[in-house]
Structure formats: C-alpha cells, structure tokens
Amino acid sequence: MEALSELEQLLDHHGSRFLEVPRSKTPSGISLVGVPYDGTTSYRPGTRFGPEAIRAASIGLETYSPEQDADYTDGEVVDLGNLDVPYGGATPVINQVREAVGAIVDLDGIPLVLGGEHSITAGIVEALVARYPDLLVIQLDAHADLRDGYLGEHYSHASAMRRCLDALGEGGQLLQVGIRSGERAEFQELRESGRWLPASAEQLHSRLDEFSGRPIYVTLDLDIFDPAYFPGTGTPEPGGIDWATFAALLRTIPGDRMVGADVMELAPQLDTSGVSSVLAAKATRELIIKIQSQG
Ligand SMILES: [Mn+2]
C-alpha cells in the first residue's frame, strides 16, 4: 500500500478525462497518466498542454475502433489524471515520472503516459526496466534523439533515446522506427547499430521475430506523422507518415506483450484547427485497444 499512497500524493485529480474512462486514484488495468511538462523544449514550446488537449479532443471520438474491431470499454482502463510536475529543469520531473510509473507497475497497472515532451520517456523506461530487464522499446519518431545531453540538459528531449539506451543497458533493446532527422553522428550510430528501420510494417514485423516473447514498450512521438497531418508539434519534420501507415505499424505489434506506451509531443496551440489533438486522442485510443487485444 506504500506505493499507492505515494502515487496518490503525486497526482492531481481535477480536470477532464479521456473518452468515458473513469478518473481514479488507483491504477487498474491500463492506467492513463498525463505529464504536462515541456521544460527542455528547444524550438517551440507548448507540449505541457498536451495531456488536457488529448482528453478534451477525445470527446469527439467513438469508444469503438473499426480498425481493431474492439471497444476500449471491453477492458479495464482508468485515468489517474496528471502528475503535478514542477517547471524548470528536467531531472526533478524525470524522478517524479520514474517514481509514479514504478508505483503504477507495482500496483499491477499498465502505464499509458500522455505527454508532454519526449524527455519524459526516459523516466518511464527506467521504471519499467526495473521490472522487465529484457524490455524491448519501439520508438516511433521523426528524430533520432540520441544526443548525449543537449543545451546543457542531461534529460533533454533531444536525448530521450540516449537516456533510454542507458536505462536498457545490456539486457534491453531499442528499435527506432521512422527516424528522418538528426545530426550526422546520430545517423552513423543508427546505421551501425541496426536499430534503425523505416516506417514499414513489413520490416517491423520481420524485426520483431528476433525478439519473440519479450515485453514491449511503445513510445509514440507524434512528430513521426507528416506535418500535413500533424502540425501541432514543437519540432515538425517534413517527410512523415500518414494514419494508414501508423495503423499498419500498430497491427504488427503484439498487444498482449505490451507493458506500457506513451503519446508524446502534442503542442495543441500550434494547430488552430485542432486536428492534431484529435489525431493524438485517436492514437491514444488505438494504443489502449491494442494493449487490451490478445494479438
Ligand atoms: Mn521527435
């Protein structure tokens, strides 16, 4: 029960909710938690407004997914609300995320984290690796995020995957899908490491064969989508994917092995049409249903 009271202290229980998912202070099944933080954002800020925008936009969505022929109400889902994070440097926030996700996992919840900026993922993965040392992280993203710190910040959002690799150590694995932006050294590492693959369902499917039976974490940086479909993000990068490609990628991932996921980098005010928030909410619904699915 210690983890539960610790978690309760970390959560803010006001505000809207995702679809019709009940608010709860206790993790149960898939447990949504928002992290409204954008303190290391290097270009255009605003992802701190992501979690609430995803919840607000979800009102326009159905609970049923035709693509997966399932309804999220078929399984257990709760919305824990947002972490009450301090603004400023990233380290206190990452510590809080690690503690909260650790508590969710200790209470047998499956974390589904709504960002916020991508640096947050390091705290999540650090917590998950403690429970799942052979974790496979699948990164869907435009950016390599392999810098070893950026602009003086160890936990920068430009270092998200470097910090995840630190956490994964020898036992864990990372696949970096759809990456199309980074510096020369990052791409050299991507090519040499074998971790890099295009946003192709066929290629992801065949790579996943190497990791059969391992627990999977999916980190979705929404800027993997083309700015034409998803302009509401801080560092948009032309040349991205469309919804159909995302759905195909998701189909290849075995949901019954997923131990968590996140949806990062929505900056809702950068898209006055609101469509980016709707896409983020739909991606969140699809991830919930994917985790609930047996395949
Ligand atoms: Mn990115």
Side-chain angles (χ1 to χ4, degrees):
M1 291 314 277
E2 199 184 316
L4 179 57
S5 65
E6 215 170 79
L7 179 60
E8 282 178 0
Q9 281 171 21
L10 291 164
L11 295 165
D12 145 33
H13 289 279
H14 309 286
S16 59
R17 58 186 196 172
F18 186 77
L19 286 166
E20 292 152 33
V21 173
R23 282 282 180 137
S24 171
K25 292 186 177 184
T26 311
S28 180
I30 296 168
S31 303
L32 301 179
V33 62
V35 185
Y37 177 70
D38 59 6
T40 81
T41 300
S42 48
Y43 181 35
R44 306 186 300 176
T47 59
R48 71 177 66 181
F49 304 111
E52 282 311 303
I54 289 172
R55 292 189 182 99
S58 74
I59 291 166
L61 295 177
E62 301 286 355
T63 62
Y64 173 75
S65 164
E67 276 160 6
Q68 300 190 68
D69 185 25
D71 199 299
Y72 86 83
T73 55
D74 297 345
E76 216 174 353
V77 196
V78 295
D79 186 346
L80 300 170
N82 292 342
L83 296 188
D84 196 4
V85 294
Y87 293 111
T91 301
V93 177
I94 302 300
N95 291 342
Q96 214 171 324
V97 168
R98 188 190 313 109
E99 208 177 318
V101 171
I104 291 169
V105 171
D106 284 348
L107 293 158
D108 295 323
I110 298 173
L112 204 168
V113 181
L114 308 177
E117 59 164 58
H118 210 179
S119 60
I120 294 160
T121 301
I124 305 166
V125 169
E126 288 170 8
L128 287 173
V129 163
R131 172 115 174 211
Y132 307 104
D134 59 342
L135 187 68
L136 168 65
V137 174
I138 300 175
Q139 174 204 11
L140 306 175
D141 199 338
H143 305 97
D145 290 347
L146 288 170
R147 286 177 158 98
D148 192 8
Y150 189 55
L151 305 176
E153 178 59 68
H154 181 68
Y155 278 110
S156 168
H157 74 148
S159 306
M161 290 307 120
R162 175 62 56 210
R163 297 288 83 86
C164 286
L165 283 168
D166 291 348
L168 288 166
E170 294 290 305
Q173 288 285 347
L174 174 66
L175 288 177
Q176 302 190 263
V177 180
I179 314 303
R180 60 188 186 275
S181 173
E183 54 180 7
R184 187 195 299 257
E186 290 179 288
F187 271 85
Q188 199 174 343
E189 178 178 340
L190 282 174
R191 291 189 182 96
E192 288 168 3
S193 65
R195 294 192 303 258
W196 184 33
L197 55 161
S200 146
E202 292 72 24
Q203 295 206 35
L204 179 59
H205 183 74
S206 68
R207 286 304 301 276
L208 283 174
D209 281 350
E210 294 167 35
F211 305 104
S212 64
R214 291 170 77 144
I216 294 172
Y217 182 78
V218 174
T219 177
L220 172 60
D221 183 331
L222 291 157
D223 62 32
I224 191 175
F225 286 96
D226 193 85
Y229 306 107
F230 189 81
T233 194
T235 40
E237 180 68 31
I241 67 170
D242 59 10
W243 180 267
T245 304
F246 171 70
L249 288 168
L250 201 58
R251 269 197 297 278
T252 67
I253 299 173
D256 55 347
R257 277 165 48 201
M258 281 179 66
V259 296
D262 62 49
V263 179
M264 298 301 192
E265 296 282 350
L266 167 66
Q269 76 287 7
L270 296 175
D271 175 6
T272 52
S273 78
V275 164
S276 299
S277 300
V278 174
L279 184 149
K282 182 168 175 176
T284 303
R285 184 194 71 192
E286 292 303 307
L287 283 165
I288 291 171
I289 293 172
K290 170 50 77 172
I291 296 170
Q292 289 171 336
S293 77
Q294 291 306 301

